[in-house]
Amino acid sequence: MDDELHERVREVIASVPAGSVATYGDIASVSGAPSPRLIGRILSEDGQDLPWHRILRADGTPAPHLLDEQLQRLRAEGVIPDGQRVDLRKYRWQRDPDNDAGLGGLF
DNA sequence: TCCTTGACAGATT
DNA sequence: AAATCTGCCAAGG
């Protein structure tokens, strides 16, 4: 059921902790989406209730139309963007190797 | 049914 | 380092 995938993607995005960010590719990989494009599409349609501002592109730069709002919201959460770019090395959300994934045993 | 568009990513040039 | 090309999947015209 592809609806499940859609739901899973939202779940993963919702599981990203404040003060951290993730890339579309990461979300796609963790959620099992076939392509990161799906993430963007889902967010554009059904991401109103999700922390979409924590999702960045692979370079650490948010999407062009969201750029203002994105950086502003991130800054409010403690993420300090370097110009238009966020240090993924520091803020990128990665599953704790010691603790299980942020999925909370979704698998 | 084919073509275009879009919150992307990675490899090339 | 920056611009370009290619592959990717789904939805709408």
Side-chain angles (χ1 to χ4, degrees), chain A residues 41-97:
Chain A
R41 239 192 62 68
I42 292 173
L43 280 178
S44 67
E45 292 196 13
D46 210 16
Q48 307 307 315
D49 297 315
L50 294 169
W52 51 269
H53 51 271
R54 297 188 195 138
I55 312 303
L56 313 174
R57 297 204 284 192
D59 307 7
T61 59
H65 47 282
L66 297 174
L67 191 146
D68 320 294
E69 183 110 7
Q70 202 57 347
L71 296 180
Q72 195 171 334
R73 282 171 178 261
L74 286 175
R75 203 181 281 270
E77 290 191 348
V79 177
I80 310 303
D82 180 12
Q84 284 186 335
R85 188 157 161 171
V86 176
D87 285 339
L88 289 178
R89 325 177 277 188
K90 294 189 169 193
Y91 299 108
R92 188 181 200 181
W93 175 61
Q94 43 196 345
R95 296 82 84 196
D96 275 326

